[in-house]
Amino acid sequence: MLHTSRRRLRATLLAAASASLVAAALPPPAPLGIGDPLFPQLGNPGYDVIAYDIALTYRGSNSEPLDAVTRIDALATRDLNRINLDFTHGTVGAVEVNGESAEFAVAGEDLVVTPPEVVEKRSPLRITVRHISDPRGPADAGGWVRTRDGLAMANQADAAHRVFPSNDHPADKAYFTFRITAPSELTVVANGVRMAKAGTGSTTTWAYRTRHPMATELAQVSIGRSTVVHRQGPLALPVRDVVPTAERTKLEPWLKKTPEHLEWMERHVGRYPFESYGVLIADADTGFELETQTLSLFELSLFTSGSYPEWYVDSVMVHELAHQWFGNSVSPRTWSDLWLNEGHASWYEALYADEKSGKSLDLRMREAYKQSDVWRADGGPPAAPKPPEPGEKISLFRPVMYGGSALVLYALRQTIGKDAFGQLERAWVSEYRDRTAATADFAALASRTAGRDLSAFFRGWLYGKRTPPMPGHADWRTEAVADR
């Protein structure tokens, strides 16, 4: 036994020495990425995230950092002597890899972890990061949104890693569990289904879990003085709306619309793809609405300011709902595929306004066609958008992504007919449910559905500098770019 123990000790010392030599030979930590054309340093190679478990402690002030522990379960897709995570705007206290303490460093917007030994390809990988999640900072930077009474999240397109360490790219979808501890007088809601709620007097811990994989940019946690309103959608789908308690009665005329919105979308594209749906109405001035998975984020003023007609608010609600199919269930493989998200959501927004409020789809598309060349000059073609402006990442969301991309779908319907178009839409969300997909996948499915090669159509409509002639509307004209 003594001899065996010495041999084991010797082997342990040799392994430790070898690990030290490997670590010493590694280059300095550097940010990585998966080569996204628009966000080249977003995401990280070498592993596939299976699940996130995120624990947050909120102490009652949205100007105070939250204590956090993020656990990531992943599978190594190659040998890893370094593991890069997207993370910024938060302090890291400690990191473990497969239960052992690991060295870490910050490089750009990456947390670079050096495990005590090489993680072999096809090996399970558990990374545990103890960190601070900081809600302070510029409101337009994304991540946490500071509401009048707490917090919500707005992570699109690349801001989830301002909240928690992650592989922050929609190409790597995963399951999520959230465990949030907050003062007991507050309500906490997150994506998915509530699994537990346990109070200890002054604080309560809430746990939520998604039943479908989710992109990091769609994560949502709401903490505040809120009321959760429950009702049923089609086929007994649970619908839960989260609203400021003080505005509950005023908002009811809007909240009760959601089941009908769901029924309308299901008639067009098929069964709702997730475990629940609802709207999160935040008392904050965001300037946008956001399709966070199963719980779309809206700013309160959209419903209470009196600045918008009812038909418009209705159609915006449908826009975010449509994203649950287009963008959430079927997620973009790269950010250049964003037109598939926004084009479809804008299409169903316009179609709903046409069918329910008499706001002519043809007139709306004709106006979009008129502006289309200007939009392409400003933002690039729908499937080859220009990168966002430096320091203004949200500028990716230009008009060409909305009206310009819906126009592509209108032209496609004009080309293949309404029946084939409807068949395509249902097939798209069915075939790629819970997956990622690219523009080439949509073009290929459209060609199969139509029974003919549509590559020339998509080449012109998605990548051309100028908008092609509109099928069936030879009299439609675009505004000259030089006139702008």
Side-chain angles (χ1 to χ4, degrees), residues 67-370:
D67 293 329
V69 179
T70 296
R71 189 180 74 206
I72 302 171
D73 287 314
L75 183 69
T77 57
R78 69 184 190 195
D79 290 349
L80 291 170
N81 50 30
R82 282 253 177 86
I83 304 162
N84 278 48
L85 300 171
D86 298 304
F87 187 56
T88 188
H89 197 62
T91 304
V92 175
V95 180
E96 293 179 358
V97 176
N98 292 335
E100 297 186 40
S101 180
E103 296 181 0
F104 61 91
V106 174
E109 294 193 0
D110 276 17
L111 173 64
V112 185
V113 178
T114 304
E117 56 186 43
V118 174
V119 178
E120 296 182 351
K121 183 179 179 180
R122 290 187 290 275
S123 296
L125 173 62
R126 171 169 287 183
I127 309 162
T128 303
V129 184
R130 301 181 186 280
H131 62 98
I132 294 297
S133 187
D134 196 341
R136 299 170 299 183
D140 59 356
W144 286 116
V145 173
R146 295 165 66 184
T147 66
R148 303 286 189 274
D149 60 348
L151 293 171
M153 281 187 199
N155 297 327
Q156 200 176 80
D158 67 334
H161 66 283
R162 290 177 61 86
V163 178
F164 56 91
S166 57
N167 201 24
D168 193 11
H169 193 282
D172 193 0
K173 299 169 72 165
Y175 293 89
F176 278 74
T177 298
F178 297 95
R179 308 174 198 275
I180 304 102
T181 300
S184 294
E185 66 269 20
L186 302 180
T187 299
V188 176
V189 183
N191 310 91
V193 174
R194 195 176 87 187
M195 306 301 294
K197 177 186 175 184
T200 59
S202 62
T203 64
T204 298
T205 299
W206 308 65
Y208 291 86
R209 183 171 298 153
T210 66
R211 292 180 180 169
H212 297 263
M214 180 170 72
T216 49
E217 52 117 357
L218 301 173
Q220 183 57 268
V221 171
S222 165
I223 307 171
R225 299 182 184 280
S226 304
T227 294
V228 181
V229 183
H230 296 277
R231 67 188 82 227
Q232 285 192 344
L235 300 175
L237 176 75
V239 175
R240 50 156 193 178
D241 298 315
V242 184
V243 301
T245 298
E247 305 290 341
R248 162 73 179 89
T249 302
K250 185 185 296 185
L251 291 169
E252 174 58 21
W254 297 107
L255 304 181
K256 67 183 183 182
K257 290 174 176 284
T258 296
E260 188 276 326
H261 293 162
L262 283 158
E263 289 174 1
W264 184 86
M265 279 297 304
E266 288 192 347
R267 286 199 301 273
H268 284 277
V269 296
R271 186 79 178 268
Y272 177 75
F274 297 122
E275 59 269 31
S276 64
Y277 185 65
V279 300
L280 165 60
I281 301 179
D283 193 358
D285 299 319
T286 60
F288 57 81
E289 327 306 327
L290 188 62
E291 65 274 16
T292 42
Q293 191 160 308
T294 72
L295 192 61
S296 294
L297 175 67
F298 294 86
E299 55 184 341
L300 178 62
S301 63
L302 177 70
F303 304 98
T304 60
S305 69
S307 302
Y308 310 101
E310 182 176 356
W311 73 264
Y312 174 80
V313 178
D314 249 345
S315 62
V316 171
M317 293 177 74
V318 170
H319 179 110
E320 303 307 332
L321 172 59
H323 272 307
Q324 304 299 315
W325 285 264
F326 301 96
N328 296 12
S329 180
V330 185
S331 297
R333 195 160 298 150
T334 74
W335 279 108
S336 295
D337 299 312
L338 178 62
W339 81 273
L340 286 164
N341 299 20
E342 298 301 346
H344 276 101
S346 299
W347 168 257
Y348 288 104
E349 168 193 335
L351 190 62
Y352 186 87
D354 177 89
E355 291 186 9
K356 297 294 184 177
S357 302
K359 304 298 178 181
S360 171
L361 176 68
D362 287 346
L363 288 178
R364 184 166 177 164
M365 292 298 108
R366 182 170 187 166
E367 182 59 29
Y369 188 85
K370 180 180 178 181

